[in-house]
């Protein structure tokens, strides 16, 4: 197993445009407000953390989100540009803990804590194929 302690303290901030693909669409009557979905904001924070880790991981490794705790503090409309910041706050074995924040100017939009597990790509592929084979057998495919 590789040692990932060197990731502690690494950080990345990106400027992100929140577009219509991120709109909250669960309540049809509220669609005309063009508010960004919580899940879309979490997705952006996760993506920035992946971009940060991918700079440091060997090509045969990837990092998957295994745990997320998020607090959506303020509604924000699509079309808004936000700053998305992530920071590695802990590393235990292959698990990397992050804190993330989405800001619009000086207003906090979302804050999150989450964990990514660093795993060999080949192991992930093997697990996915085994799962697909089991599902195929279950349905007689």
């Amino acid at each position: 197993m590789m040692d990932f302690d060197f990731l502690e303290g690494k950080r990345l901030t990106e400027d992100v445009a929140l577009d219509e693909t991120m709109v909250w669409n669960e309540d049809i009557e509220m669609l005309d407000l063009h508010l960004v979905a919580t899940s879309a904001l979490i997705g952006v924070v996760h993506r920035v953390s992946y971009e940060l880790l991918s700079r440091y991981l060997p090509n045969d490794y990837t990092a998957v989100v295994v745990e997320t705790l998020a607090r959506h503090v303020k509604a924000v409309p699509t079309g808004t540009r936000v700053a998305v910041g992530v920071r590695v706050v802990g590393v235990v074995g292959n698990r990397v803990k992050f804190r993330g924040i989405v800001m619009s100017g000086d207003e906090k939009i979302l804050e999150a804590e989450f964990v990514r597990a660093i795993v060999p790509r080949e192991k992930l592929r093997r697990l996915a194929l085994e799962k697909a084979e089991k599902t195929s057998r279950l349905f007689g495919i």
Side-chain angles (χ1 to χ4, degrees):
M1 175 59 94
M2 290 184 61
D3 181 7
F4 298 105
D5 290 347
F6 71 94
L7 293 168
E8 182 107 28
K10 301 280 190 226
R11 60 180 63 223
L12 179 62
T13 301
E14 284 191 8
D15 183 50
V16 176
L18 305 176
D19 62 39
E20 281 297 319
T21 66
M22 301 173 165
V23 72
W24 176 56
N25 59 10
E26 294 166 327
D27 186 335
I28 301 303
E29 291 181 32
M30 305 304 283
L31 264 177
D32 60 340
L33 296 178
H34 301 276
L35 298 174
V36 175
T38 305
S39 56
L41 291 169
I42 293 168
V44 171
V45 172
H46 287 169
R47 181 182 55 77
V48 173
S49 74
Y50 183 82
E51 288 176 16
L52 172 63
L53 283 184
S54 66
R55 297 174 178 184
Y56 300 101
L57 296 183
N59 288 338
D60 53 343
Y61 281 79
T62 191
V64 295
V65 175
V66 295
E67 180 183 328
T68 298
L69 175 63
R71 196 165 73 90
H72 194 160
V73 180
K74 186 170 178 53
V76 62
T78 59
T80 304
R81 292 196 79 82
V82 294
V84 179
V86 298
R87 179 172 46 100
V88 175
V89 295
V91 179
V92 177
N94 71 327
R95 292 180 175 254
V96 181
K97 184 175 184 177
F98 285 88
R99 285 213 178 97
I101 192 163
V102 177
M103 299 286 293
S104 177
D106 59 359
E107 293 184 307
K108 185 187 302 180
I109 305 301
L110 179 129
E111 58 188 4
E113 281 196 4
F114 55 101
V115 176
R116 280 187 172 275
I118 299 173
V119 294
R121 290 178 191 269
E122 194 51 44
K123 181 178 180 181
L124 199 55
R125 282 188 188 100
R126 192 171 56 250
L127 290 172
L129 286 173
E130 288 171 6
K131 184 74 169 172
E133 287 172 7
K134 286 179 186 174
T135 302
S136 296
R137 284 194 303 270
L138 180 66
F139 292 107
I141 300 172

